[in-house]
Amino acid sequence: MTSAARTTADQPVPVLRDFGGGPFGIYVHVPFCATRCGYCDFNTYTAGELGSSSSPQSWFEALKGELETAAREFEALPSDTPPVETVFVGGGTPSLLGGDGLAGVLDAIRANFTLAAGAEVTTESNPESTSPEFFDRLRAGGYTRISLGMQSAAAHVLKILDRTHTPGRAVAAAQEARAAGFEHVNLDLIYGTPGETDADLDASLDAVLSAGVDHVSAYSLIVEDGTALARRVRRGELPAPDGDVLADRYERIDTRLRAAGLDWYEVSNWAANDAARCRHNLGYWDGGDWLGAGPGAHSHLGGVRWWNVKHPARYADSVIAGGLPAAGWELLTDEERYTERVMLTVRLRAGLPLDDLDADGRAAADRVIADGLAERTGDLLVLTDRGRLLADAVVRTLLT
């Protein structure tokens, strides 16, 4: 990279820039999981892995300290801190904190930042650690959106993924969330798991649609280096995901969801209407600003990106030491910001403004259109259905 990068040994605390004028959100990372899923390479830890070095209580105290420090740092910037348009509590398994714990997280944000009127407040949840009482507490505490990790309705697929919930629990949890008053509920799917059949995927889609949710995210299985799943594939115990199968499954998902009234607005995300779209993720894709709080969380402010210390115990120690708990930071160059703009925006149904491309990029856009991977809609470049299957290739062409 050609950015002015800084590391822990150099200068761990980022030199903050002014807000970029886009939406401002806060992401909170909860690093705790009851068990480790075999495909996951996120910054998460089980109780056995942490031992006595960290706990939800010590994490929460450190989180409050980081939010207080960030609010002070932002006050020193030339412009006023904008109201928080979106909050997203992810992980890990945030629902392990319980309803009271998650309400406390939102209270800590409110104590240091101003929530915009109509702010979107989302938490991820594992279906097995939810209940009607849990959702009632979240709704009363100010949450507006629930995202549930379903992955599949097939028991043998869940077993390969090392997921602990029973096949029907995700649908039941979604229905409980809706009964608690949540208008916006998402279910996550993973497709292409070794052993998954077309019938398994159809059963998963049947289950999703029966739940009455207004948002679905569907991701192809990626075998990440260092995971238990990668080791099983390397030993020949499981086949690697097949690219042609993944493409067929994606088209199958898209056809079913669009027929049911959920249309794509990002390559891997479908929503029933504009209000159902995840505004927090749109903030990432549209180049907004956000504070990432918690172990390993990433932040972005006015072209400066920084990332926190990853281990929960060291994260807490960094907060106690004062300053932001950053492990490193980088100032993005104009070239890097251009690259990220193209990479992210081209994935959106709203399209990439052709005026955002340089001369080489506009010439490449003509080739992409000629290949049937995108179309010109006014002054926008919008992926075709075939182009969504080859979105990464479109990006490479635009940036070549």
Side-chain angles (χ1 to χ4, degrees):
M1 299 179 69
T2 57
S3 60
R6 299 293 185 268
T7 66
T8 308
D10 185 6
Q11 186 179 356
V13 179
V15 177
L16 299 186
R17 298 276 293 275
D18 204 4
F19 288 89
F24 174 51
I26 293 179
Y27 171 79
V28 174
H29 186 68
V30 180
F32 307 109
C33 281
T35 60
R36 181 172 296 283
C37 296
Y39 63 93
C40 180
D41 71 339
F42 292 168
N43 185 44
T44 61
Y45 307 84
T46 65
E49 291 168 337
L50 288 173
S52 61
S53 67
S54 182
S55 68
Q57 292 73 30
S58 63
W59 165 85
F60 183 55
E61 291 303 315
L63 176 72
K64 290 191 293 184
E66 182 184 5
L67 292 171
E68 292 168 3
T69 299
R72 288 197 303 269
E73 294 276 354
F74 290 173
E75 286 177 359
L77 296 175
S79 64
D80 293 336
T81 302
V84 178
E85 298 283 348
T86 63
V87 174
F88 196 105
V89 184
T93 309
S95 48
L96 289 178
L97 300 178
D100 288 341
L102 283 167
V105 169
L106 188 54
D107 287 343
I109 292 172
R110 287 197 187 102
N112 294 284
F113 297 90
T114 300
L115 287 187
E120 175 192 89
V121 184
T122 303
T123 183
E124 293 179 334
S125 298
N126 185 316
E128 285 295 333
S129 51
T130 65
S131 66
E133 294 75 21
F134 170 83
F135 292 119
D136 286 340
R137 181 67 181 94
L138 291 185
R139 195 75 187 93
Y143 285 81
T144 67
R145 186 173 182 275
I146 298 294
S147 182
L148 292 158
M150 174 178 169
Q151 319 317 354
S152 176
H156 71 98
V157 173
L158 294 175
K159 183 176 181 180
I160 290 174
L161 295 173
D162 294 321
R163 297 290 295 183
T164 57
H165 63 268
T166 54
R169 178 57 201 154
V171 170
Q175 292 169 339
E176 290 167 3
R178 293 178 63 237
F182 283 97
E183 182 180 355
H184 303 306
V185 180
N186 170 67
L187 282 172
D188 278 347
L189 288 176
I190 290 178
Y191 60 94
T193 300
E196 180 191 59
T197 65
D198 287 345
D200 292 331
L201 180 60
D202 286 342
S204 296
L205 291 167
D206 288 343
V208 165
L209 296 176
S210 75
V213 297
D214 67 346
H215 192 285
V216 177
S217 300
Y219 305 101
S220 64
L221 179 67
I222 298 175
V223 181
E224 301 285 1
D225 289 342
T227 62
L229 179 63
R231 290 189 290 274
R232 295 185 69 186
V233 170
R234 189 170 58 249
R235 291 193 298 262
E237 298 175 14
L238 294 171
D242 180 276
D244 290 336
V245 171
L246 294 177
D248 289 343
R249 296 274 162 78
Y250 180 87
E251 291 178 328
R252 200 178 193 95
I253 291 167
D254 185 54
T255 298
R256 288 288 307 277
L257 294 181
R258 292 171 81 169
L262 286 89
D263 210 350
W264 77 283
Y265 69 98
E266 192 273 342
V267 168
S268 298
N269 290 273
W270 291 257
N273 49 55
D274 288 354
R277 297 175 178 181
C278 180
R279 288 162 48 197
H280 186 83
N281 285 342
L282 282 169
Y284 295 149
W285 297 322
D286 286 334
D289 293 313
W290 70 90
L291 170 68
H298 285 230
S299 301
H300 175 269
L301 191 70
V304 177
R305 181 163 51 213
W306 69 97
W307 47 94
N308 284 353
V309 174
K310 294 182 72 171
H311 193 278
R314 290 193 290 274
Y315 160 76
D317 290 342
S318 297
V319 173
I320 292 171
L324 293 172
W329 65 278
E330 60 187 359
L331 174 60
L332 300 177
T333 65
D334 289 343
E335 180 183 356
E336 288 168 341
R337 296 181 80 169
Y338 175 81
T339 296
E340 292 195 359
R341 171 73 170 158
V342 172
M343 287 176 58
L344 297 174
T345 309
V346 80
R347 296 176 60 88
L348 296 174
R349 177 72 172 268
L352 171 66
L354 288 164
D355 288 345
D356 286 358
L357 296 172
D358 59 21
D360 290 339
R362 287 191 290 274
D366 288 338
R367 296 196 299 273
V368 169
I369 292 170
D371 288 340
L373 301 180
E375 56 190 10
R376 188 189 303 268
T377 303
D379 61 352
L380 298 170
L381 184 72
V382 180
L383 294 176
T384 61
D385 289 347
R386 179 167 171 263
R388 282 190 284 153
L389 294 172
L390 299 169
D392 290 343
V394 172
V395 168
R396 288 194 297 270
T397 299
L398 294 175
L399 295 174
T400 298

